[in-house]
Amino acid sequence: MIAFFAKHPTAANLLMVLMLAIGVLSMTKLRRETFPDAAAVEVEVAVPFPGATSQEVEETIVDRLEDALEGVQYVKEMRGVAMMNVGRVTLKMTDTGDYVTFRNEIDNAVSGIDDFPEQAEAPITKRLNTKDPVLDVLVDGPMEAPDLKTYCERLKDRLLASDGISEVEITGFSDHLLRVELSREALLRYGLSPAEVSASISRQSIDLPAGRLEADETTLVRVKESRKTQAALESIVLSGQQGAAEIQLGDIADVLDEFELDEDRIEVNGRRAAVLKILKGKTEDVIKVAESTQAILQQERERHPQVTLTVINDMSQLVEDRIGLLVKNGLQGCVLVFLVMWLFFSARLSFWVVISLPVSFLAAFAVVPLFGLTINMLTMVGLLMALGLLMDDGIVIAENIARRRLEGESAMDAAINGVREVATGVFSSFLTTCCVLGPLMFLSGELGRVLKVLPMMLLLVLCTSLVEAFLILPSHLGHSLAHANTERRNWIRVRVDSMIDAGRELCGRIVSLAIRWRYLAAGLVVMAFLITVGLLVGGVVRGQVFPDLEGDVIEARVLMRPGTPLARTQQVMDQLGEALAKTNEVFKPSQPEGRDLVETSYVRFNHNIDAFETGAHVATFTADLLATEQRDARLVDVIQVWKQQFGSVSDALSVTFDEPAIGPAGRALEIQLSGLPLEELDQVSEEVQAYFRTFDGVYNMTDDLRQGESELLVQLRPGVVGLGISTTDLATQLRGSFQGLLSDQIQVGSESYDVEVRFSDLDRNSLMDLYDYLVFLPSGQTVPLSEVATISESKGWSRIAHFDGQQVLVVIGNIDSERSNAMAILGQFKAEIIPKLVDTYRGLKVSFKGEAERGSETGASLARAAVIGCLGVFIILSFQFRSYIEPIIVMVAIPFAFVGVVWGHLAFGIPLSLPSVMGYASLAGIVVNDSILLVLFLKAARQQGVPVIEAAEGASRTRFRAVMITSLTTIAGLSPLLLERSLQAQVLIPIAISICCGLLASTLLVLVVIPSLYVILSDHGWTR
């Protein structure tokens, strides 16, 4: 096959064109996103229970759900949460589970529960993490809230009607309803109760088929008295007698068109606004969805210029910036690789070796969709990492062909024989690389699902490059060398060749010295490795699960005391807005062209991801800043100034400043406490938070357990049953007066409305409204509430969390990675504090979640993959070398390359992270390849009768040029990324450091240490 394609006049070029064509055609089908989809399969079961406290929800909803769901298959973990008005249980499926079985068992278990409270609504079961955000549209205009909601609904319909947009969510509004606010004085005057009014509305607002008339034509009969407007509801007759006046609903109540929760709102500069969240499915392209959205918005701006439509949280722009950054670095790397190659080879030969890169890349794109891969930051980095592996094979082949050509073979014979000579070594190197990278495709955990796309992309490119290297490259190099003048060399190549010769001689002398003192050399290698491990153990080189990513959005999350009125929360948010304006003035002079740092800001009430609860006492202030590539300010610096400008608020439980997104690694600090009553867990939490606050760089420490709103418990007095009043009757009357009773549900256009009956705000805004409440008896008489019931005060928890059926408390916090290290802090906490806490609080259980848990899970699978990979490499090398001992020489290169990785991170001041380890794993392929070929050359010399020391020195000299070219081209290809200063590249730079610095160390090992180790084995008769 090699000779056929090399000698055929068109076969190689046709194959290359075919690979390029299918790659280009396939690119239109590739999806683009920031990171691979790493979300776990989760199903949530929610049961609304309006008016219930968290304790009541826990007992009647969450506990019963957990009992029913306990036996579901494939459950990795089960999380429950009881809050006011709703209970939720979320089940996470194992990585190897079957979703259909998983979901069916959940549905069957939930449908089998028949003892939920009567007031609880039907369970809602849904799968989470099925959609990804694309962008948000902030809608602001001169409209009242109902009109704004109507406009948003129409805009949503227009967006969904366009091609490419599959889901839009409207936020900033609660459920729309027609609220009947009863006058307490009027009810008493006419002798009506809220329950009777609600029943009257239900009876007189119907739309019901009544049958059909069978005559010459069939005619349907329908009773239609549907009340869909405020006026129609106010005209409902509640009571009346013949000849007397009728009492209409409008006589005793006001019917208001409003939203259920006044605090569920978004404001821009004090005006009511809304946000449309544009989402995409897992198979949709984020940039295409964003482009479709922008086109509709532009048309909408022209139709309604009075409405402001602002795009915020634009993930598509982030994707474009990050992919553009990698494309730029890739192109720069290819140019540098060509220039380095040109120093050693002719321009023609260098061109054909470098052109193999885009051919292999595009051919790999053709099969990328088949493996569920997308174009994202990590797959693009996989292509950059492939530069080294691909150039390694190309350089080995090109160097050998050029050598044989210089020895006098014809160009085509040199091409064919040169490839055949190294084909075994190249293919063996390919297999060992597959052994190293293959197990990494099965990393577990959410971080593993993110990182495993790297080895997948690398292996796809390696497979296509093997075809290019064996079938296409020999033909191109053969024809290239046939037209090249091997006698003519320019002054640059003369100078480079002389430097290479000098380097080869220097290397030869060093190798001779190392072989002479080979046991000392081996000892120095071991010492270097132990010192490197000491850098990690001693904390000199810090560890980090995943690098921090710089975004464009910051938030201030406010948590007031439960029961705080909305007006007070609004005052605090106004203070935050003023502080943000001052912060903008501080940074504005340093921005490009003096632009504002803050582009857009808005406030969302009833929302705080740190508080784990809702209500008028929580809110979030969001600021959208200049893009990362445009602004001259780090988010941590902006947040610090904003915090200083704001100061503090005495009645706020917490005000946290942070980025809105949590990276794929999770929270830096997330500790779960369990095994004790909530009161004791609360005490432990205070001690844990106090400990972490002593570290510099730790901020936003809090937990998910807080006292809820004050409660008034109403209980019937003994002996009042004779009055005909029951607990259910009393609860219904109180609920209808203060909580509200659902009387009807109507459909107006595409929107569903509830009709709700309750007291007016003036009749339900003080304690005396409850204490003076008059209870209706079956006889029609009224008695004061205090005569039939007792009232006591209580206070419970606002939220109760469960994990696998147990009550838990979660402590969370953030760490500034520039000032502190999360792994070191958690390690110290585990060694010093946890034993003391467990001794003090018997039964306490402490577990790590977030970044620590995900890093540990993925790290464990990474260790397993490393063991499997090393075993596979050993088997292949043992088969090839026909020895059990000699493969160890090659494999020594893998841990020694780690020395360069660690010292490189130390030199650049960057923590070692999981991406660093992935870079190191891909580096192992290059290192093993170089080592295999050196040992093969050494063994070939031994078979010709050359003494072992002379063979070892000769192999190192022979391979010097190829190893140096491989190292220099790989480093050149990654140097743009290594020197990239963009904040978006921080997650990628550790990969480049691992490869470049590890390659420097392994180059020394391959050329100097491996020959010494081989001679040591020969001393003991362990070589063949």
Side-chain angles (χ1 to χ4, degrees), residues 145-146 149 173-181 230 254-262 272 751-756 758-761 764:
K149 176 68 183 303
F173 306 96
S174 55
D175 292 338
H176 209 161
L177 52 78
L178 293 175
R179 177 167 281 151
V180 180
E181 294 207 335
Q230 294 168 266
D254 293 323
V255 180
L256 306 178
D257 183 353
E258 59 183 18
F259 297 96
E260 181 180 6
L261 302 174
D262 190 39
R272 191 72 184 259
E751 192 171 8
S752 176
Y753 283 65
D754 288 343
V755 179
E756 184 184 84
R758 75 176 188 190
F759 276 177
S760 66
D761 290 342
R764 48 186 291 277

Side-chain angles (χ1 to χ4, degrees), residues 53 155 167 355 374 393 409 449 513 646 676 762 835 846 1005:
T53 64
L155 178 56
E167 184 160 345
I355 207 67
T374 63
D393 292 340
E409 292 187 11
R449 286 191 288 273
L513 185 64
F646 175 70
L676 298 174
L762 291 176
V846 182
L1005 173 77

Side-chain angles (χ1 to χ4, degrees), residues 795-848:
K795 179 172 284 192
W797 304 107
S798 62
R799 177 184 185 273
I800 301 173
H802 284 199
F803 185 84
D804 288 342
Q806 283 192 320
Q807 288 184 339
V808 297
L809 182 153
V810 179
V811 180
I812 60 174
N814 294 335
I815 293 179
D816 182 356
S817 59
E818 296 288 331
R819 297 156 59 191
S820 292
N821 181 257
M823 294 178 68
I825 292 175
L826 288 175
Q828 189 172 335
F829 172 74
K830 184 176 182 180
E832 298 178 359
I833 303 302
I834 291 182
K836 297 179 182 178
L837 291 175
V838 172
D839 288 341
T840 305
Y841 300 92
R842 295 294 180 182
L844 174 67
K845 298 178 182 177
V846 182
S847 57
F848 295 113

Side-chain angles (χ1 to χ4, degrees), residues 598-677:
V598 181
E599 292 193 317
T600 309
S601 63
Y602 65 95
V603 178
R604 182 178 178 184
F605 296 91
N606 194 42
H607 177 76
N608 184 333
I609 61 173
D610 289 339
F612 303 102
E613 55 188 272
T614 58
H617 62 295
V618 297
T620 299
F621 197 118
T622 302
D624 209 20
L625 309 182
L626 277 174
T628 307
E629 304 305 319
Q630 299 176 8
R631 68 173 182 265
D632 183 17
R634 294 174 64 240
L635 285 189
V636 291
D637 298 328
V638 178
I639 288 173
Q640 189 62 32
V641 174
W642 191 11
K643 187 184 299 185
Q644 292 172 356
Q645 295 289 346
F646 175 70
S648 61
V649 176
S650 59
D651 54 340
L653 292 179
S654 70
V655 180
T656 60
F657 297 81
D658 199 8
E659 294 185 67
I662 300 173
R667 295 183 185 274
L669 292 178
E670 186 170 345
I671 297 163
Q672 181 176 284
L673 308 175
S674 62
L676 298 174

Side-chain angles (χ1 to χ4, degrees), residues 666-686:
R667 295 183 185 274
L669 292 178
E670 186 170 345
I671 297 163
Q672 181 176 284
L673 308 175
S674 62
L676 298 174
L678 291 178
E679 292 75 10
E680 293 186 55
L681 291 179
D682 195 30
Q683 297 176 17
V684 177
S685 172
E686 291 298 326

Side-chain angles (χ1 to χ4, degrees), residues 716-964:
L716 280 179
R717 292 181 181 275
V720 301
V721 178
L723 297 176
I725 186 75
S726 67
T727 303
T728 302
D729 296 333
L730 178 62
T732 301
Q733 292 191 40
L734 290 174
R735 190 179 182 89
S737 302
F738 298 99
Q739 170 71 25
L741 293 175
L742 179 63
S743 303
D744 195 10
Q745 288 183 318
I746 58 177
Q747 190 73 27
V748 180
S750 61
E751 192 171 8
S752 176
Y753 283 65
D754 288 343
V755 179
E756 184 184 84
V757 175
R758 75 176 188 190
F759 276 177
S760 66
D761 290 342
L762 291 176
D763 292 325
R764 48 186 291 277
N765 61 2
S766 72
L767 290 175
M768 294 309 299
D769 290 326
L770 179 65
Y771 287 114
D772 293 341
Y773 186 80
L774 296 178
V775 179
F776 281 83
L777 300 177
S779 62
Q781 297 178 322
T782 60
V783 295
L785 177 64
S786 58
E787 292 187 10
V788 296
T790 60
I791 302 175
S792 59
E793 294 188 15
S794 176
K795 179 172 284 192
W797 304 107
S798 62
R799 177 184 185 273
I800 301 173
H802 284 199
F803 185 84
D804 288 342
Q806 283 192 320
Q807 288 184 339
V808 297
L809 182 153
V810 179
V811 180
I812 60 174
N814 294 335
I815 293 179
D816 182 356
S817 59
E818 296 288 331
R819 297 156 59 191
S820 292
N821 181 257
M823 294 178 68
I825 292 175
L826 288 175
Q828 189 172 335
F829 172 74
K830 184 176 182 180
E832 298 178 359
I833 303 302
I834 291 182
K836 297 179 182 178
L837 291 175
V838 172
D839 288 341
T840 305
Y841 300 92
R842 295 294 180 182
L844 174 67
K845 298 178 182 177
V846 182
S847 57
F848 295 113
K849 299 294 179 181
E851 185 178 285
E853 180 187 42
R854 295 180 185 180
S856 176
E857 182 180 10
T858 303
S861 64
L862 193 61
R864 291 193 300 270
V867 172
I868 295 172
C870 289
L871 180 61
V873 171
F874 178 82
I875 292 173
I876 292 173
L877 295 181
S878 180
F879 180 82
Q880 183 178 9
F881 293 162
R882 300 174 180 270
S883 169
Y884 295 115
I885 303 297
E886 290 179 4
I888 297 176
I889 302 174
V890 174
M891 297 182 68
V892 165
I894 297 176
F896 191 77
F898 188 65
V899 174
V901 171
V902 174
W903 284 91
H905 282 76
L906 178 63
F908 280 86
I910 293 178
L912 199 69
S913 58
L914 283 176
S916 308
V917 178
M918 295 299 293
Y920 167 60
S922 68
L923 169 68
I926 303 175
V927 173
V928 169
N929 292 354
D930 289 340
S931 303
I932 288 174
L933 291 170
L934 186 138
V935 173
L936 287 176
F937 272 78
L938 196 158
K939 289 174 68 67
R942 290 289 311 280
Q943 290 174 359
Q944 296 175 4
V946 179
V948 63
I949 294 180
E950 184 179 339
E953 294 175 351
S956 183
R957 290 171 182 266
T958 303
R959 289 292 302 155
F960 176 80
R961 178 184 171 93
V963 170
M964 290 301 298

Side-chain angles (χ1 to χ4, degrees), residues 507-522 1007-1009 1011-1013 1016:
C507 177
R509 289 194 293 270
I510 295 175
V511 171
S512 298
L513 185 64
I515 291 176
R516 186 183 310 162
W517 300 94
R518 47 189 174 274
Y519 293 97
L520 175 61
L1007 294 175
V1008 178
V1009 180
S1012 304
L1013 295 178
I1016 290 176

